[in-house]
Amino acid sequence: MQYVLRGRMIDGLGGAPLEDGLVAFEGNRIVYAGQAGEYEIPADAVVRHVGKGTILPGFIDAHAHLSGEEDAGSFADGKCFGDQLLGGVKQLGLLLGAGFTGIRDMSEAGLYLSRAVERGAIVGPRIVSGGKLLGVTSGHEDIGPYVTKEAYNAASHFSRLCDGPDDCMLAAREQFRAGAKFIKICATGGVSSPTDRVDDVQFAPEELRAIVEEARRHHTYVTAHCTGYEGTYQALLAGVECIEHGVMLTEREIRLMAERDVPLVPTLWISLHVADLPGLPPYAREKARTCAEYSRRTIALARQYGIRIALGTDFSNSRNTSYLKNGREFEAMVEAGMTEMESIRAGTFYAAQVLRIDDLGALKKGYLADIVVTDGNPLEDISCLADAGHIRFVSADGRVVKDLLREERVQ
Ligand SMILES: [Zn+2]
């Protein structure tokens, strides 16, 4: 039986909106997307009119951390990984309700959660997980000299410290062994880490190459957390194929990204607002202030060079980064100088490209039926994508998981 949505429609590809559009899906595929008048609705179809709302492709967060934190406590509270993992199951429901039907995850939990969703054991967005992040001793993933590297690696479900090409290769192989679909490294320092500067270069060129080559042997790629420009440049030279944050990029890095068609996942909401969040340690607040200004400059350069910008939040459902509000990233992109349409394409089609799923992220015949309806017109007010309260309808892989629209049967 077909499901039919009728009303204003934005295709995710950047095309002009259709005021009287129609999207029909059956099973997990879109069977029609276009002008309503040109489609004959089958007699037994379920039809929903979206009123003042808008039909969009399901949102995709290309940079999330499914750590289960807020729903299961942190290790500091004495909670173990199993508790956090089960907290992650609840988080997937929050993300769906907020319209997010696709996630690129960076954590160990995402490996298990992605398989459970694929098997149908739990309901959630489609998840592409890279497993643990790889970082150097004393780098962005190192919590400091309170524990030994060995103790840290044994306990962490979030990252793996690795040093020297052999250890780096092994660390990448461990992620593939656990089911990772790509590898994420930390190529520079970051805001939240205690012992580095944001512009520290992390990993030597031979270490970067070892990880990139290992990923290519597994027919996949490496993405890099990048704040400072020099570490970003070295990561790009080594063959990294996606840049996360990209806070302080200069024309040199942006030009190289354009030449190699490397996308940027800028995580702007955090970048622009983290300095004002409560409970931040002083060292992080100072680093964050510097980053906000740089981020705006990076976005201007990236737009000038035609870099594909994909939506990513860096949210982990902490107190400040609720999974009901990942859509704030759409707002932050507009705040940083992107148009509403560019931010929508970033959170749908371009993010699907970063997930490397070809038939996702657009309202187009034959594409996967991940579809969202919001209660307003995001081209006039982008805030109608910003939190779960605005989302009226969600279909994930053709399964209707939220439906607050009025039901009408065709006569
Ligand atoms: Zn992150």
Side-chain angles (χ1 to χ4, degrees):
M1 192 179 62
Q2 277 189 22
Y3 225 97
V4 173
L5 298 160
R6 183 167 183 176
R8 184 185 306 108
M9 170 190 146
I10 294 174
D11 64 8
L13 299 162
L18 296 181
E19 283 306 318
D20 189 17
L22 185 147
V23 180
F25 63 96
E26 190 162 5
N28 72 339
R29 295 281 164 185
I30 294 171
V31 294
Y32 180 82
Q35 294 288 358
E38 291 167 21
Y39 186 69
E40 198 167 320
I41 301 170
D44 63 344
V46 175
V47 181
R48 298 281 188 270
H49 290 264
V50 308
K52 289 187 168 60
T54 306
I55 315 164
L56 299 128
F59 308 151
I60 298 170
D61 186 341
H63 186 134
H65 298 283
L66 295 170
S67 56
E69 260 173 57
E70 198 67 359
D71 298 292
S74 68
F75 288 118
D77 305 324
K79 296 285 164 53
C80 65
F81 182 59
D83 297 321
Q84 294 195 313
L85 189 57
L86 290 171
V89 176
K90 180 181 168 192
Q91 293 181 349
L92 296 185
L94 303 180
L95 286 164
L96 282 179
F100 282 81
T101 56
I103 298 294
R104 188 171 60 140
D105 164 71
M106 291 123 188
S107 76
E108 186 182 359
L111 298 169
Y112 303 107
L113 294 169
S114 67
R115 292 196 286 265
V117 170
E118 270 166 34
R119 282 201 311 273
I122 58 174
V123 178
R126 57 186 86 244
I127 302 164
V128 174
S129 181
K132 295 180 194 174
L133 331 181
L134 310 190
V136 297
T137 294
S138 83
H140 179 50
E141 289 311 318
D142 196 338
I143 56 165
Y146 326 110
V147 293
T148 63
K149 174 186 172 185
E150 289 70 25
Y152 178 81
N153 277 341
S156 176
H157 296 276
F158 192 71
S159 56
R160 158 78 152 86
L161 301 180
C162 51
D163 303 283
D166 288 354
D167 193 24
C168 287
M169 197 192 297
L170 175 62
R173 286 179 179 170
E174 286 169 3
Q175 306 321 304
F176 289 125
R177 185 184 196 218
K181 297 288 188 273
F182 65 95
I183 298 291
K184 183 190 171 192
I185 63 165
C186 292
T188 75
V191 169
S192 60
S193 38
T195 57
D196 60 6
R197 290 168 43 133
V198 289
D199 56 352
D200 279 0
V201 177
Q202 301 182 351
F203 286 113
E206 57 271 27
E207 293 173 317
L208 290 171
R209 279 198 301 275
I211 300 167
V212 167
E213 285 166 12
E214 187 58 32
R216 288 188 178 154
R217 285 190 282 271
H218 289 266
H219 306 284
T220 187
Y221 71 100
V222 176
T223 189
H225 158 105
C226 292
T227 307
Y229 58 86
E230 184 56 34
T232 310
Y233 188 60
Q234 294 188 18
L236 287 165
L237 287 182
V240 160
E241 292 179 40
C242 184
I243 300 296
E244 312 293 321
H245 319 300
V247 176
M248 297 175 164
L249 303 194
T250 69
E251 211 154 348
R252 179 181 63 160
E253 292 77 54
I254 294 280
R255 200 178 296 129
L256 192 52
M257 289 171 72
E259 263 168 47
R260 299 184 177 184
D261 197 20
V262 170
L264 172 68
V265 185
T267 64
L268 288 168
W269 191 85
I270 291 230
S271 205
L272 299 181
H273 300 283
V274 77
D276 307 321
L277 297 177
L280 214 65
Y283 67 81
R285 196 177 300 281
E286 205 43 54
K287 287 175 170 185
R289 287 225 167 87
T290 323
C291 286
E293 263 327 294
Y294 279 109
S295 280
R296 292 176 200 271
R297 205 184 60 184
T298 289
I299 292 302
L301 271 174
R303 290 178 77 225
Q304 190 188 323
Y305 278 83
I307 305 283
R308 285 176 297 151
I309 300 174
L311 183 148
T313 61
D314 214 359
F315 281 18
S316 55
N317 204 41
S318 67
R319 198 159 302 133
N320 292 326
T321 64
S322 163
Y323 276 167
L324 293 170
K325 297 184 174 175
N326 286 40
R328 284 173 159 185
E329 187 65 18
F330 288 107
E331 283 183 312
M333 288 181 151
V334 171
E335 197 184 331
M338 293 168 66
T339 66
E340 284 80 0
M341 192 58 105
E342 284 173 352
S343 87
I344 290 167
R345 184 172 57 183
T348 55
F349 188 62
Y350 280 170
Q353 291 189 333
V354 166
L355 266 58
R356 302 207 171 181
I357 304 176
D358 291 338
D359 48 1
L360 184 69
L363 298 179
K364 198 172 167 184
K365 186 179 174 184
Y367 272 49
L368 290 160
D370 286 16
I371 301 164
V372 165
V373 176
T374 182
D375 63 2
N377 180 356
L379 299 177
E380 284 169 5
D381 182 2
I382 196 73
S383 72
C384 70
L385 308 182
D387 77 64
H390 289 288
I391 305 303
R392 310 274 294 150
F393 176 96
V394 181
S395 148
D397 206 38
R399 178 179 178 149
V400 177
V401 293
K402 183 174 187 177
D403 186 359
L404 307 175
L405 300 168
R406 185 166 59 92
E407 182 171 349
E408 249 180 48
R409 294 239 168 206
V410 171
Q411 301 306 312

